Amino acid sequence: MSRSTQTTRERILDAAEKLFADRGFHGVSVREIAREAGVDVALVNYHCGRKSDLFETVFLRRAETLNSERLAMLKACRDAAAPAPPALEDIIDAFTHPLLNRSAHGGPGWKRYFALVAQVNNSPELAPIGMTKYFDPLVQEFIAALREALPEAAEEDIFWSYHFLSGALTLTFAETGRIDQLSGGVCRSSDLDSVHARLVPYTAAGFRRLCQPR
Amino acid sequence: MSRSTQTTRERILDAAEKLFADRGFHGVSVREIAREAGVDVALVNYHCGRKSDLFETVFLRRAETLNSERLAMLKACRDAAAPAPPALEDIIDAFTHPLLNRSAHGGPGWKRYFALVAQVNNSPELAPIGMTKYFDPLVQEFIAALREALPEAAEEDIFWSYHFLSGALTLTFAETGRIDQLSGGVCRSSDLDSVHARLVPYTAAGFRRLCQPR
DNA sequence: GTCTATAGCTTGATAGAC
DNA sequence: GTCTATCAAGCTATAGAC
């Protein structure tokens, strides 16, 4: 959608998404958002309410699309395997692929959104609100599938394994460029297809090591 | 060290560490830091310079202690294995144990420090400055050791494996309480000894899966 | 080292004209 | 829906008395 056909509200949300992703909730002023959107300051309030509401709107906006896509993929891999339990790699793929795929190929708005998710997930201030509210119901579905795929696993091991997956995934979203620097250019933060090809086997191996009898 | 025997400068640094860890660099004002430290606003500038200098000082303060401890552990496991290459699990342990151990048992200052590291590591704004400057030289040492332990690995696979470890580790530091909520209390964010017992085998299995010939 | 006082901005939010 | 104008509050940073 071209810039001129966007509604004012959408322009504000896109500008907010970009700036929040770069510097976090507190690092951005409403005035900056208005400037970035090419819109008067007063319109931010008019269309999106107070700053904290604006932040929540930005965070929620893309969550629903993502989550229904991930649930559909989970259901597909369950149905394909039934009556056997779904394969571990397929569950992890359903969890991660819709995200990494959109971050890689969905355009700059999606990319910025995931960078924002990375910050929220690691913030003691924001994670209990943002992540729990919009993502945890979905995560519970995935945990249930993981239980089926790893029937001998202890509950704790499944949850901690999921936690490690979540950390690896969200740091990837942050695209801080650190791995580029560290590897001298061998790896590129933005090359999410390469990441995905590695994240699934890496975490699947971790899950198996923790969750299967030794 | 009791509160009364701390220098003013130390009180300011501790207060800043706490508040920055909770709400990030931009989420905290110098005045709040002064109030938390029980000190006049002007003293913050006098002892610690401008706000950005204060942040850097807080970030740097504990990094050196940590890094020399980690290097010593790395050297120890190398020496013990020589002339064979060090064991993968031992390298990961040298990388993670000094951190998780201090976060778990080093007192509240250390705990807050690591929560701050988690936020910086996931921030496009701060990671290129903070992490690269204070942690990457050490990381290069560990990468070298990993190369020895996984002689058949491609460079990219080692770096991406390290990246996943970094994400899993730093999300753990954030202690957002999300895993507590998600697991209905089965896991506790603050139980870092449990995490450590799982993080090492989980990531070692991931490294092997990616870095060894199929 | 510590405090008071203040300069000079920027902030979030809104009231009211059009 | 959009804009101008404005408020009260908070901000960083420092100068200068003690």
Side-chain angles (χ1 to χ4, degrees):
Chain A
M1 184 179 285
S2 85
R3 184 165 181 108
S4 55
T5 60
Q6 280 185 304
T7 65
T8 299
R9 186 182 138 91
E10 281 168 334
R11 294 237 300 281
I12 293 167
L13 292 175
D14 287 347
E17 186 171 63
K18 173 177 178 172
L19 294 171
F20 285 148
D22 278 352
R23 300 201 298 276
F25 177 74
H26 299 291
V28 179
S29 71
V30 175
R31 301 174 120 83
E32 266 181 294
I33 292 167
R35 201 182 315 134
E36 174 77 28
V39 145
D40 191 89
V41 205
L43 292 183
V44 176
N45 239 266
Y46 178 78
H47 288 286
C48 303
R50 64 176 72 205
K51 187 184 177 185
S52 58
D53 294 336
L54 169 58
F55 186 84
E56 265 207 76
T57 304
V58 166
F59 201 76
L60 177 60
R61 183 167 61 144
R62 303 189 195 262
E64 209 157 313
T65 309
L66 288 176
N67 287 346
S68 58
E69 199 175 332
R70 296 162 93 188
L71 273 183
M73 269 190 81
L74 180 62
K75 185 173 168 2
C77 82
R78 273 181 137 150
D79 290 351
L88 178 59
E89 269 84 354
D90 292 342
I91 300 171
I92 296 173
D93 191 65
F95 187 75
T96 60
H97 190 262
L99 310 184
L100 288 165
N101 187 51
R102 283 194 188 264
S103 186
H105 308 294
W110 281 101
K111 182 150 293 245
R112 289 163 192 153
Y113 177 75
F114 289 114
L116 181 58
V117 170
Q119 288 190 62
V120 171
N121 199 35
N122 283 269
S123 158
E125 183 190 14
L126 303 174
I129 309 163
M131 299 305 292
T132 301
K133 202 164 168 186
Y134 302 125
F135 290 104
D136 279 6
L138 172 106
V139 174
Q140 296 289 6
E141 292 287 325
F142 276 88
I143 296 282
L146 289 166
R147 270 192 208 106
E148 291 172 34
L150 300 160
E152 318 229 33
E155 279 290 282
E156 281 175 273
D157 292 326
I158 290 192
F159 280 109
W160 282 123
S161 294
Y162 165 76
H163 169 85
F164 298 145
L165 166 58
S166 175
L169 181 64
T170 55
L171 179 60
T172 300
F173 291 151
E175 292 194 26
T176 61
R178 195 187 166 208
I179 197 72
D180 310 52
Q181 170 108 9
L182 206 54
S183 70
V186 170
C187 301
R188 282 168 298 116
S189 290
S190 57
D191 181 12
L192 297 185
D193 293 326
S194 281
V195 177
H196 185 249
R198 291 175 171 87
L199 179 62
V200 176
Y202 182 98
T203 55
F207 266 97
R208 287 216 177 84
R209 177 81 168 72
L210 276 192
C211 296
Q212 286 182 343
R214 312 300 148 91
Chain B
M1 185 180 285
S2 86
R3 184 166 180 105
S4 54
T5 58
Q6 281 184 306
T7 66
T8 299
R9 185 183 139 93
E10 282 168 336
R11 294 237 300 281
I12 293 168
L13 291 175
D14 287 347
E17 186 171 63
K18 173 177 177 171
L19 293 171
F20 285 146
D22 278 352
R23 299 202 299 276
F25 177 73
H26 299 290
V28 179
S29 70
V30 175
R31 300 176 115 82
E32 266 181 295
I33 292 167
R35 203 180 314 133
E36 174 77 26
V39 144
D40 190 88
V41 206
L43 292 182
V44 176
N45 238 267
Y46 178 78
H47 287 286
C48 303
R50 64 176 71 206
K51 188 184 175 185
S52 57
D53 294 337
L54 169 58
F55 186 83
E56 265 207 77
T57 304
V58 166
F59 200 76
L60 177 60
R61 183 168 60 145
R62 303 189 195 262
E64 210 157 315
T65 310
L66 286 176
N67 287 346
S68 59
E69 199 175 332
R70 295 162 94 189
L71 273 184
M73 269 190 81
L74 180 62
K75 183 172 172 358
C77 83
R78 272 181 137 151
D79 290 351
L88 178 59
E89 268 83 355
D90 291 343
I91 299 171
I92 297 174
D93 192 65
F95 187 76
T96 60
H97 190 261
L99 309 184
L100 288 164
N101 187 52
R102 284 195 187 261
S103 186
H105 309 293
W110 281 100
K111 181 150 296 241
R112 288 165 192 151
Y113 177 75
F114 288 114
L116 181 58
V117 171
Q119 289 190 60
V120 171
N121 199 34
N122 283 268
S123 158
E125 184 189 13
L126 303 174
I129 311 164
M131 299 304 292
T132 299
K133 202 164 167 184
Y134 302 124
F135 290 104
D136 280 6
L138 172 106
V139 174
Q140 297 289 8
E141 293 287 325
F142 276 88
I143 297 282
L146 289 166
R147 271 193 207 105
E148 292 172 34
L150 300 160
E152 318 228 32
E155 280 290 281
E156 282 175 273
D157 292 326
I158 290 193
F159 280 109
W160 282 122
S161 293
Y162 165 75
H163 170 85
F164 298 146
L165 165 59
S166 175
L169 181 65
T170 54
L171 179 60
T172 301
F173 291 151
E175 291 195 25
T176 61
R178 193 185 167 209
I179 198 70
D180 309 53
Q181 169 107 8
L182 206 54
S183 71
V186 170
C187 300
R188 282 167 297 115
S189 289
S190 58
D191 181 13
L192 298 185
D193 293 326
S194 282
V195 177
H196 185 250
R198 290 174 172 88
L199 180 62
V200 176
Y202 183 99
T203 55
F207 267 97
R208 288 214 176 83
R209 177 82 167 72
L210 277 192
C211 297
Q212 285 183 344
R214 313 298 148 93

